[in-house]
Amino acid sequence: MRNILLTISFDGTAYHGWQVQENAVTVQQTLQDAYEKICGSRDNITGCSRTDSGVHANMYCCNIRTLSEMPCQKLVEAMNAVLPDDISVSDCADVPYDFHARYDCKSKEYIYQIWNSPNKNPFLYKYSYRHKYPLDADFLDAQAKQFIRKADFRAFCAAGSSVEDTVRDVTQAEVKRDGDLVTFRVCANGFLYNMVRIMTGTLLDISSGKIPPGTIEDIILSGDRQRAGFTARPEGLFLNKVIY
Amino acid sequence: MRNILLTISFDGTAYHGWQVQENAVTVQQTLQDAYEKICGSRDNITGCSRTDSGVHANMYCCNIRTLSEMPCQKLVEAMNAVLPDDISVSDCADVPYDFHARYDCKSKEYIYQIWNSPNKNPFLYKYSYRHKYPLDADFLDAQAKQFIRKADFRAFCAAGSSVEDTVRDVTQAEVKRDGDLVTFRVCANGFLYNMVRIMTGTLLDISSGKIPPGTIEDIILSGDRQRAGFTARPEGLFLNKVIY
């Protein structure tokens, strides 16, 4: 039995997130079906994280413990031939048998794309959140820097999450503008449920004056979800990097 | 009665091209329906060119002779509120009554995007043609320079076109690489039916050795469609600029 690590990317528009569920098309299910078609074995594929409906991934990692002996390069080609166009396998590698895509992940990077223009962008509406009113990216970048800390981030966790340890170590956070596209980028050793979407909503609420500037540290310390901003829509969110 | 010029952009994936036709959703029809909903009048919208099914536009212009007196800025906002997300109106301007979006067009620029990688790109498969084998962009750029001339381009026109004057003045043609994305850009005073897609297919056929390098001038002079390359798929093609 071997253990292989697949690196993939996907457009999440058509999927109900990563995780297999009844009566819904998910990325995990689609990958497992493709793998079964190729290798003939119904193996479980372990992902590096859950993702919400409509969220995308420029890079996502998952591992498969399998009896298949297909060489990695051949598996990449076969998977890409069978998978739909909105999921792509970019790499495959043999890894130690005890490697686990979620538990062994050291850090992840997410980006959240905001289309900041009075005009709609017909090519980005599935890949960004549209915010009509001008955003000051430098100002928001300074606000976002307050996210950088090891702290209890429960104020930035959706209600209903069953996670007990809500301490996370956020190592990078920045906001940058490229033309009409404003991108929030954040790295941490792990993320709570909806954490990046609530961080983004908080930055947008600071921009619109609903939340006072300079209060992100206070909100974190309060541990109060009510004080943080709204949960920004899923389509602007991309898992961008996974580091082991 | 006034005449207004609309500048729009659209993702052509869901449309059977620009022109109104029976039993098919087109961009022109969708715009006319939105305009009627807003202004109450069923006015014909005149486009700057026909486009094929699945072809996109970063910039497309069309004019409307109308009795509506709605101010331009208000019309832009109202149209964007009513139109689907894959069509966006970016500008509206009053123009002289005899202005015609097609006849008064001085030149157009098209780009054709080629995703040149062994890996699929799940975000670009609707917006590019995928070519697995490495392309030498500098070599193709040198080949493409032979397109720059005023000449009879009937060798680069799809069979079945009823156009009589097949002379066009190609003023710019270039191939550039940006990472895995190779873009062919071409400007002319006008284009024949499928002309950019056949130009692109010819460049790809030169790359793969099916057509000898340095023969684009000969192919143009021959006037023989059979000597030019294949018609590249529509989804890589974007109308990029319209100049009056």
Side-chain angles (χ1 to χ4, degrees), chain A residues 11 85 122-127, chain B residues 9-18 24-27 30 51-58 84-87 113 122-128 233-238:
Chain A
D11 175 342
D85 286 331
F123 302 105
L124 280 185
Y125 71 95
K126 288 175 186 164
Y127 309 117
Chain B
S9 55
F10 59 84
D11 174 342
T13 308
Y15 298 96
H16 287 256
W18 164 261
V25 180
T26 66
V27 179
T30 306
T51 62
D52 292 337
S53 257
V55 170
H56 315 291
N58 289 323
D85 286 331
D86 52 9
I87 302 179
Q113 295 191 336
F123 302 104
L124 280 185
Y125 70 95
K126 288 176 186 164
Y127 308 117
S128 62
R233 295 179 56 85
E235 61 264 30
L237 186 62
F238 292 70

Side-chain angles (χ1 to χ4, degrees), chain B residues 152-168:
Chain B
D152 184 338
F153 275 91
R154 69 176 61 199
F156 293 85
C157 179
S161 166
S162 60
V163 173
E164 287 179 16
D165 179 8
T166 47
V167 174
R168 294 293 182 275

